[in-house]
Amino acid sequence: MPEVACLYLQDGTLWRGRSVGLSGTKWGELCFNTGMTGYQEIFTDPSYAGQIVLCTHPHIGNYGTCDAEQESSKIQINGLICRSFSHNFSRIDAQKSLFQYFKDQKIIAIDEIDTRSLVRHIRNQGAMNAVISTETDNVSELAAYLSQCPAMDGLELSSAVTTSCPYTVGDETAPYHVAALDFGIKRSILTMLNMYGCRVTVFPANVSISELLIYQFDGYFLSNGPGDPAAMNYALKTVQELTKQDKPIFGICMGHQLLGLSFGLQTYKMFNGHRGLNHPVKNLQTGLSEITSQNHGFAISMDSLKKSAEVSLSHINLNDNTVEGIIIRDKPFFSVQYHPESSPGPHDSHYLFQKFVQLMAN
């Protein structure tokens, strides 16, 4: 018989479900993702490090897993909660079941949770730490365990997911050579940069400006990543030095936030964050809207942006009017909060890579 599993939230709420077959106890910040497909890409996205993911789509695992759909070398989430976990899958090019995929990497998952009710709960109460366990349902024990876990606000996580040493991807004859600062970079981003004529050398998050200036890069890419950008002083210092070089800079997600911080803007932890494949964003320069893929729990403060003499708002979220993109006046620097390499639109945001390449060409 399947093991009983439970979910204990920081606000003292207890939810009961069923273990999908993997035992243990694990904590993380509980957040929900509204995507109907792409669960493997979600689970392997380094921006999800330190989080327990709640999938709003009811069926997870029904098309198995495939190595080509990994965004990094391993599963990055701390745990999974879903309505119905499928041990069986149906897809010709799938290589293994999601259960085997989780089992190989010792990731806990529970299902038979009323995910609609749970999403409404954390949508109203906000993202918070939680613990999932197949080992105990004792509230006192779970509360004591959770009390020892750090909050996401102020937590630095990029150093745990970044590359340990530099590496290069792409054609050596590519017209542009780009340095990518890896705060938790996704493989599909590198693929997109390669597609647009860039050879990319990826550096650890703690790379120094002196290491970068050894090379004559045509531009700099600041990647996505997990955790609180305000806790990354080491990376902020490097980005501030890069802005003195006048070489094109393109940032996304964490890189977007660090670019904003380097010009005196402020960031804050969002009540729930944005995670899903259908977030509408308006480009204020063209008047066009994009359907975007997003995964972030922090954002740039709109109030601090409005006070800036150097930074302009380029994109805005049409759901909640939060900052989705910035440009630096009179500089070849720009960034967006969402993930433009993904294709929910289907290719609404690919023009940003073209813009980056054009800046390097100029």
Side-chain angles (χ1 to χ4, degrees):
M1 295 292 292
E3 289 183 281
V4 173
C6 63
L7 168 71
Y8 179 77
L9 276 59
Q10 194 171 3
D11 65 359
T13 310
L14 182 70
W15 302 72
R16 298 184 187 276
R18 179 187 69 170
S19 167
V20 303
L22 305 169
S23 301
T25 300
K26 194 71 176 180
W27 75 277
E29 183 187 52
L30 177 61
C31 61
F32 62 87
N33 186 291
T34 59
M36 295 179 68
T37 62
Y39 54 74
Q40 189 177 2
E41 291 89 336
I42 292 168
F43 302 157
T44 56
D45 179 354
S47 293
Y48 274 112
Q51 295 178 316
I52 294 172
V53 172
L54 164 63
C55 291
T56 62
H57 188 65
H59 303 289
I60 301 298
N62 52 342
Y63 59 82
T65 65
C66 178
D67 289 348
E69 293 169 3
Q70 294 188 143
E71 289 290 1
S72 63
S73 61
K74 65 177 184 177
I75 298 174
Q76 302 286 348
I77 63 172
N78 282 4
L80 168 68
I81 300 166
C82 61
R83 179 67 184 90
S84 178
F85 187 98
S86 178
H87 285 72
N88 301 314
F89 61 93
S90 177
R91 185 171 54 144
I92 292 174
D93 56 353
Q95 295 164 309
K96 63 176 68 173
S97 69
L98 184 61
F99 173 75
Q100 189 62 50
Y101 192 62
F102 272 35
K103 183 179 180 181
D104 291 345
Q105 301 187 47
K106 298 180 174 59
I107 304 297
I108 301 174
I110 61 175
D111 71 350
E112 293 194 356
I113 292 283
D114 183 351
T115 52
R116 294 183 69 182
S117 177
L118 180 55
V119 167
R120 285 196 295 268
H121 181 80
I122 61 175
R123 186 178 62 191
N124 294 332
Q125 302 300 321
M128 66 184 77
N129 276 357
V131 55
I132 57 177
S133 180
T134 64
E135 299 172 319
T136 180
D137 61 357
N138 183 287
V139 171
S140 297
E141 292 179 12
L142 293 170
Y145 179 91
L146 195 57
S147 68
Q148 303 300 312
C149 303
M152 189 63 70
D153 198 1
L155 189 61
E156 191 280 315
L157 288 172
S158 285
S159 58
V161 298
T162 189
T163 182
S164 58
C165 58
Y167 63 94
T168 301
V169 293
D171 190 344
E172 289 189 2
T173 64
Y176 306 105
H177 191 190
V178 171
L181 277 64
D182 176 12
F183 306 123
I185 200 166
K186 294 162 66 177
R187 289 175 175 172
S188 55
I189 293 173
L190 297 174
T191 299
M192 286 298 300
L193 288 167
N194 291 162
M195 283 177 55
Y196 282 93
C198 300
R199 178 165 58 101
V200 186
T201 298
V202 183
F203 290 91
N206 64 354
V207 63
S208 66
I209 188 66
S210 59
E211 293 176 80
L212 293 173
L213 295 183
I214 293 174
Y215 307 87
Q216 293 296 315
F217 290 112
D218 298 299
Y220 297 96
F221 180 81
L222 312 177
S223 86
N224 61 294
D228 186 346
M232 297 179 61
N233 290 333
Y234 65 93
L236 178 58
K237 181 179 178 181
T238 301
V239 174
Q240 288 173 328
E241 290 296 323
L242 286 178
T243 62
K244 300 175 182 178
Q245 306 304 311
D246 282 337
K247 292 287 184 72
I249 297 176
F250 177 19
I252 72 164
C253 200
M254 174 66 76
H256 158 78
Q257 296 160 7
L258 288 171
L259 183 64
L261 287 170
S262 71
F263 281 90
L265 305 185
Q266 297 175 340
T267 58
Y268 67 97
K269 191 176 189 305
M270 305 176 76
F271 188 67
N272 263 314
H274 297 155
R275 298 174 181 90
L277 306 177
N278 60 347
H279 288 259
V281 168
K282 184 175 182 179
N283 183 326
L284 299 179
Q285 296 173 300
T286 65
L288 300 176
S289 294
E290 308 164 35
I291 301 301
T292 67
S293 174
Q294 305 209 7
N295 172 21
H296 62 103
F298 292 83
I300 288 176
S301 161
M302 183 68 82
D303 289 340
S304 68
L305 175 55
K306 290 179 178 179
K307 298 174 184 177
S308 175
E310 297 177 281
V311 187
S312 295
L313 179 69
S314 62
H315 296 72
I316 192 167
N317 189 292
L318 293 176
N319 284 334
D320 59 11
N321 295 319
T322 52
V323 176
E324 289 286 355
I326 60 174
I327 55 174
I328 311 302
R329 297 168 190 164
D330 303 318
K331 297 286 186 180
F333 311 152
F334 70 101
S335 62
V336 292
Q337 180 61 75
Y338 50 97
H339 290 210
E341 86 292 342
S342 297
S343 302
H347 299 134
D348 293 12
S349 306
H350 287 189
Y351 71 91
L352 293 164
F353 293 94
Q354 295 172 317
K355 177 179 179 178
F356 184 44
V357 168
Q358 188 61 52
L359 287 172
M360 291 189 287
N362 292 342

